[in-house]
Amino acid sequence: MKVEFFDLALDDREKFKKFVEDHQVIDIKFSAGRNGYPIMVMYEEPSILQQKTFNEFSEDDEVNEFLESHDVIQVDHRPDCCTVVTYRKSVNNG
């Protein structure tokens, strides 16, 4: 989860609307203070799910390095053939 701040007193309305349209928003917190109207937006980057398959000849180090460097959702060890890793890939920055 990531966080972004906007202040409507500084006329961030259009940037705020565009940001909400372009991101998977989890929650929005509004606050009225003496110096403005800050908004905190909690969000996730847009992403897609992908899979990578490692066959029985793949080295353990190769699989472990992949697991460490990706946002892994599930690892399925199939004894008859392979290991399938399902992971999240960011749409914006890969």
Side-chain angles (χ1 to χ4, degrees), residues 6 9 21 23 29 31 36 43 49 54 62 64-65 73 81 83:
F6 297 91
E21 289 174 2
H23 292 82
K29 301 289 185 190
S31 175
Y43 68 99
L49 297 182
F54 295 93
E62 179 185 2
N64 290 335
E65 286 176 15
I73 296 170
C81 73
T83 298

Side-chain angles (χ1 to χ4, degrees), residues 6 18 21 59 61 78:
F6 297 91
K18 177 76 170 135
E21 289 174 2
E59 295 291 327
D61 288 345
R78 299 180 183 167

Side-chain angles (χ1 to χ4, degrees), residues 18-82:
K18 177 76 170 135
F19 186 86
V20 170
E21 289 174 2
D22 293 344
H23 292 82
Q24 181 181 348
V25 175
I26 297 169
D27 197 8
I28 299 174
K29 301 289 185 190
F30 297 90
S31 175
R34 291 187 300 206
N35 298 328
Y37 299 95
I39 299 173
M40 179 175 70
V41 180
M42 292 169 273
Y43 68 99
E44 293 287 344
E45 288 287 340
S47 62
I48 56 175
L49 297 182
Q50 292 195 331
Q51 289 187 326
K52 179 163 176 78
T53 302
F54 295 93
N55 63 33
E56 68 260 29
F57 302 111
S58 298
E59 295 291 327
D60 288 344
D61 288 345
E62 179 185 2
V63 177
N64 290 335
E65 286 176 15
F66 186 86
L67 295 175
E68 289 175 4
S69 63
H70 290 80
D71 185 6
V72 176
I73 296 170
Q74 180 179 355
V75 178
D76 184 16
H77 298 287
R78 299 180 183 167
D80 57 331
C81 73
C82 52

